[in-house]
Amino acid sequence: MFVQVAASALVVMLADLRIDNFYGILGINEIPYAVSCGLTVFVFIALINAINLIDGIDGLAGGIGMISGGMFGVWFYINGHYALACLAASLAGALLGFLRFNFSITSKIFMGDTGSLIVGFLLTMFAVKFIQLNVAYRFDPTATFNAPILAIVMLVVPIFDTLRVFIIRLKNRRSPFVGDRNHLHHILIDSGMSHLKASMILWIFTIIISIFFVIISKEVENTTSLYILIAVFGVYMFVAHLLKMNNEKKQPLKSNGETKKKSASSAKSRESNVITPRTNILID
């Protein structure tokens, strides 16, 4: 954690990479320098660890990083920020190559904590820079007024998943930092899906929700967009709860079925061990 804070603080202080404007969300625009620095460091730590938390199944963190990096890269390229576009494209391309082997059966590789933390750091840097570059929306026609909302939406899966598991753990009076299987990707796996299918569902969710908010970004104010995003999170929570309840209902049936199979196999083994008496039939 200390290393994460130090690395984030260096980028914030030395590179002046800060969230310094809320774009009118809840009536807030420019924020003081000290608050801006503290908020940005917190965002770095939160998103870095959020990416790490979704790295629980094959392909999820890599796929989300590839999609988000690709979307940031396209925007950077269109608006002439070629160095950032190259860095984002490099991340997306590297993760595409990684996914080829992450799903491999014979030559499987894993991202690990080092990989997920680096991916999280780079994606957070892209998100903060995206917000910072769009602050000139009042007089720059290429800038977007909904930059903070769009930055959140591009990383919607790690943000929603981390918020959800923390809320559930606190509700159950447990430490939010103690792992469990309440993550949505674990729930999808427990419902019988493969790693690829579960990851693809969350990839598609990211793409659809991003396209939706891009479409409405020119027509809806940021505060309204935030309320819509909160409503989407409520739906996300509800769907995850239904899937979790469905898995819990299936669990007793599964355990009962396994018990019956074990009983039947043990009965068969007992029957095979019984020595039947041999009888001779005499025919006169």
Side-chain angles (χ1 to χ4, degrees):
M1 181 65 74
F2 173 77
V3 175
Q4 294 179 26
V5 174
S8 303
L10 283 174
V11 173
V12 171
M13 301 293 185
L14 299 183
D16 197 33
L17 185 67
R18 298 179 292 110
I19 300 173
D20 54 3
N21 197 302
F22 273 14
Y23 290 68
I25 296 176
L26 301 176
I28 304 172
N29 287 291
E30 292 187 20
I31 55 179
Y33 178 81
V35 176
S36 172
C37 291
L39 173 65
T40 308
V41 170
F42 171 78
V43 169
F44 263 94
I45 300 304
L47 287 181
I48 287 171
N49 287 281
I51 296 294
N52 187 37
L53 287 175
I54 66 169
D55 188 31
I57 62 174
D58 293 341
L60 182 55
I64 295 298
M66 179 187 68
I67 294 168
S68 302
M71 289 190 289
F72 282 125
V74 169
W75 188 89
F76 290 143
Y77 179 79
I78 291 174
N79 290 276
H81 306 288
Y82 299 119
L84 289 168
C86 287
L87 185 58
S90 299
L91 175 64
L95 290 174
L96 177 62
F98 164 78
L99 289 174
R100 158 66 179 83
F101 293 97
N102 191 216
F103 286 117
S104 174
I105 298 175
T106 58
S107 306
K108 183 180 287 293
I109 60 175
F110 298 97
M111 184 177 291
D113 287 343
T114 303
S116 62
L117 293 176
I118 291 174
V119 171
F121 182 85
L122 289 174
L123 290 176
T124 307
M125 186 188 71
F126 295 149
V128 175
K129 194 66 179 176
F130 175 73
I131 295 171
Q132 194 176 48
L133 289 172
N134 279 287
V135 77
Y137 64 89
R138 288 187 177 88
F139 50 86
D140 186 354
T142 64
T144 175
F145 177 64
N146 294 73
I149 302 298
L150 293 179
I152 293 172
V153 165
M154 291 183 198
L155 299 169
V156 67
V157 168
I159 292 172
F160 275 15
D161 187 68
T162 302
L163 282 174
R164 179 182 168 275
V165 295
F166 273 36
I167 289 171
I168 291 175
R169 290 169 188 173
L170 291 172
K171 177 178 173 291
N172 295 332
R173 296 182 179 180
R174 297 177 56 227
S175 170
F177 304 104
V178 175
D180 53 32
R181 291 189 67 81
N182 274 315
H183 295 279
L184 182 57
H185 52 268
H186 286 148
I187 295 173
L188 294 175
I189 293 296
D190 292 342
S191 66
M193 293 185 185
S194 65
H195 285 224
L196 177 60
K197 189 173 181 179
S199 294
M200 287 187 68
I201 287 174
L202 295 173
W203 296 349
I204 293 169
F205 173 69
T206 300
I207 295 170
I208 290 175
I209 203 72
S210 297
I211 293 173
F212 171 75
F213 275 91
V214 168
I215 292 172
I216 69 170
S217 63
K218 298 295 182 182
E219 307 295 332
V220 180
E221 293 184 354
N222 280 333
T223 302
T224 305
S225 295
L226 179 63
Y227 292 149
I228 295 173
L229 194 59
I230 292 172
V232 173
F233 178 64
V235 174
Y236 178 92
M237 291 276 290
F238 180 69
V239 171
H241 175 71
L242 290 180
L243 291 172
K244 182 74 172 178
M245 294 296 292
N246 187 52
N247 290 346
E248 290 176 354
K249 287 180 181 178
K250 289 180 179 178
Q251 194 65 31
L253 297 176
K254 184 177 179 181
S255 58
N256 289 337
E258 290 176 352
T259 303
K260 289 179 180 179
K261 286 181 181 179
K262 289 180 181 178
S263 300
S265 61
S266 60
K268 286 182 180 179
S269 63
R270 285 197 300 270
E271 289 176 1
S272 62
N273 291 331
V274 175
I275 301 176
T276 55
R278 182 177 179 181
T279 58
N280 294 325
I281 301 176
L282 299 177
I283 303 176
D284 294 333

